[in-house]
Amino acid sequence: FAALEEGASGAPALAASCLADNRLNLDVYPDGCRRFLRLFEGRQGEVVRVEFLRLSTNDRLLGTTLGILPHLKHLKSLVLKGGHARDEFGSCQHGSLTSLPPDVGNLSCLTHLDLSFNSLSTLPGCILHLPSLRVLLVSHNSLVTLPEDFGSLSKLTFFSAMKNQLKDLPQSIGELAVLQDLDLSENALEFLPEEVGNLHNCTELDLSGNRLSSIPDSLANLKSLRRLHLHSNLLVTVPASLASLPNLSRLDLQNNCLRAVPPEIQTSPFVHLRGNPLGETEPSPQAGKYESSAGGLRRLFLTSGEDSFTVTSEGCRVVLACGIHFYFPPGAASDPLRIYFRTLAPDPRWVKLRHHDVLLSRVLELQPHGLKFQQEVQIWMPYASPQTLHQREVVVRTFSGQSWSDLRTGVEQKRKSKHVAHCSVLHFSWFLVVSRLVQNECKVPTEGTLLFSSVDPSIKVTFPPGVTEETRSVKLQVRVIISELTADAGCRASPLLCLSQDSLVDFLRPVRIQLPLPPGVTGLNLDRSRLHLLHGDLEGQTWDDITSQVVLEFTHLYAVFEVTHFSWYWLWYTTKTYIGGIAKKVYERLRMYQVNFIALQRKKDPEQVLLQCVPKHKVDPVLKKLQDRYRGPEPSDMVEMFEGEQFFAAFEHGISIDMDRPDCVDGRLSFIFYSHLKNMKEIYVTSPVDRKGQAVKGQVSFYRGAVPESISEDARRRRKGPDSLWLATLPIKLPRLKPRWSENPSPLNGFSFPPLNLGNAETGYLTQANLLSIARRVGADWQTVGLHLGLSYQQIERIGEDLNKQILDMLFSWAQQNSEDPDCVSKLITAMKESGRQDIADEVETIIELGRQKYRESIRQLAFVWGPAAYPGLLQPQGPASSQGAGC
């Protein structure tokens, strides 16, 4: 593409390589539409023969590109998906696609069309004129209804419209005679037409997450149905005839309003009924709190694969798989309301921690944003227990769209190691749990008041009468100083006091502050020339000695002074002259954590490497927990890091990783250090070095990244330069590969294969390059694909957390486990089809067919060299009978 854009002489050859096998995957490029337009201009003859095309609808040149699509008469698979761009909170941004050119309906070869994650409010009419369409995906759009003649898509076998706003279905949907998979989950359907019962070839029907209160009896006519998903609706009854469906293996009725079900269904082993108020009476108007066992509220227990639920005016209790609880009291929502949720990894670009804050949880996002409930909704969020709550308190913090604020929070300890933060809200937004310095606050009226610290009651702030004209809010926080930090500098310091207020105007009269003297100093042995009162700005960037600017009074244990401006205040006792610089260094160390890095390799698979940054006091327990499955070198030497600081891991000396990972920056893995969260990633490494002869002795080095914004400029300057960025280096060793092919002489021994191949030479190979191409295209469907490949829920969850949901690692993990299975390629194709990715399945089949052709051609050439007797039948016409003997 670079050659094309520069007009270089090598452009034709490069363009031809991009068009290999008639595929164009341009959605991985932020300027994919521009590349497509230039390619169409320069190589139009090849482009019009493209069969597989993928483009991102987040591209600003999408409108111009759409006009070219009707010229691609050979197109079989067209993917125009959004979701490739993300906003500042990491949410996928929907594409700009709202319609298609009418002439797209003339693409007679098109069998697969994916328009997911876009802005469609109506289904483009041209789609109904596609005569060969078999697979249609319009999930994550804004569709309210489907066309009345939707049933004219007579060849449709797969249709997904999940996460739209569909309120009803056309009667013609029953005319989709060959439809096998129908996904209408997470819409606003309130009833189904009887014609749904005419989908006699349907094997999977997903109606979960709607507003259905009943379903038609005609569903009992779906004799081919294997899986029926009806969870998270408002069902109060279900027909008993569902239990008699001959092929049904799963009927999911969880989280509905069923108080009674037919015995035939309740006793069936494939029926799931959890989360229904079975046997309960109607809820009373005055339901109790969440802790109450009375009230008869509906309970919803959501699994890890679900991301939404419906709340009615009756209220409900909801338990998420991650341990988060909700209580919606009766009347909180006047109409049925769909609630969406997800947990996000904290990003320091928008999760702004204050001084001395410690993050204790991931970020919880609840939608819809801004909607006001009629009554407060209660939230319980589990969090990582801090080392000590002395001087600290746990609060839930919420984001308004512009700034973060703390909510009134209660703390509960469910078990010895499980802590939960509880808050009540009227609006949904983003939420997280932090540990902050204990905060005491009060309202200061015109007649004055007294505020003291609950950490050290001897720290007092007195507001005299007339101190303010209007009532204002004042906050006080205290940080007790570890004596070792100041002793190293030959100094002693009092507790650190922070005062803040909600007004930008200074007080009208001086405010009187009492601070304890530094340890070991009393009014009897005090040398006033050695005592300094320091004033720091709110960011802790500068510390000024204001001793000469105030009047200091002393008692036996305390110093008293008056100020009109609020900020940080600190008493120091020392013989040093430039005390401000020393205080700044000590203040920085108060916010640092001593950590070690570990790099371990899985015993059963040394190419799987676990990297983690662990606080010093947790190193031994972490290593003890991992020692049965991993081995590796001793942890690194101790280094110091700030809460929320970025660092990188770089594999060196013959070891590399996939550079296309979203957390990979310039070839290095990006981490964010949070002292109470798991700073861990587990990845697969490779080596470009030939490992058949010897092992590869490489290493992983850790480097500092961006310093948090709230760190002083001096700290930033000290970390610049190559030497200051390096943190630690640990060895990584990849063992010598065992030979996988026979050492016996063979005419095929001259052929070289990549280290990982699926299939065999005769039926066609999928190489590492093919798998890499497939992995890049799986996208948001990776979990579904993984489950259809046979991975367990536990493996999927581990990949999601430990590997940052890296699709490449998931696919290669499965490939390595199944590389010896002769049917692994067909399993991969089947999994893609079952996951709704007919486009990838078609591509794999095309690759395999190309491999078969190359193999047969290579064998024919060898037959000419070795003679027909060595390879009987290869030089004969390839009919059905003779083709069976084509192997060697």
Side-chain angles (χ1 to χ4, degrees), residues 444-446 448-449 463-469 472 506-511:
V444 181
T446 56
T449 188
F463 300 89
V467 72
T468 180
E469 292 182 347
R472 63 179 76 181
D506 287 343
F507 289 99
L508 300 179
R509 297 185 60 187
V511 175

Side-chain angles (χ1 to χ4, degrees), residues 97-224:
L97 184 70
T98 57
S99 63
L100 290 175
D103 289 343
V104 168
N106 297 328
L107 297 177
S108 58
C109 297
L110 194 66
T111 63
H112 173 268
L113 179 60
D114 189 347
L115 304 177
S116 303
F117 280 98
N118 280 296
S119 304
L120 298 172
S121 57
T122 59
L123 194 71
C126 61
I127 293 178
L128 302 180
H129 301 290
L130 295 170
S132 303
L133 194 63
R134 291 189 290 139
V135 176
L136 176 60
L137 298 97
V138 289
S139 59
H140 296 268
N141 276 278
S142 302
L143 299 175
V144 177
T145 186
L146 296 176
E148 286 299 326
D149 53 347
F150 185 73
S152 62
L153 293 171
S154 58
K155 294 187 178 180
L156 203 64
T157 61
F158 181 98
F159 177 56
S160 174
M162 68 176 296
K163 286 198 174 181
N164 279 271
Q165 300 168 21
L166 295 175
K167 296 182 178 179
D168 53 36
L169 299 176
Q171 294 180 350
S172 65
I173 198 168
E175 299 172 13
L176 302 175
V178 297
L179 190 67
Q180 298 177 8
D181 199 318
L182 177 58
D183 186 354
L184 299 170
S185 59
E186 300 193 37
N187 280 276
L189 296 174
E190 297 182 357
F191 65 91
L192 298 176
E194 288 285 342
E195 287 76 9
V196 171
N198 297 332
L199 302 175
H200 299 297
N201 286 300
C202 187
T203 60
E204 181 156 4
L205 177 58
D206 194 342
L207 298 166
S208 60
N210 281 279
R211 300 177 182 177
L212 299 171
S213 57
S214 63
I215 53 175
D217 293 337
S218 62
L219 286 187
N221 298 331
L222 305 181
K223 304 301 182 182
S224 300

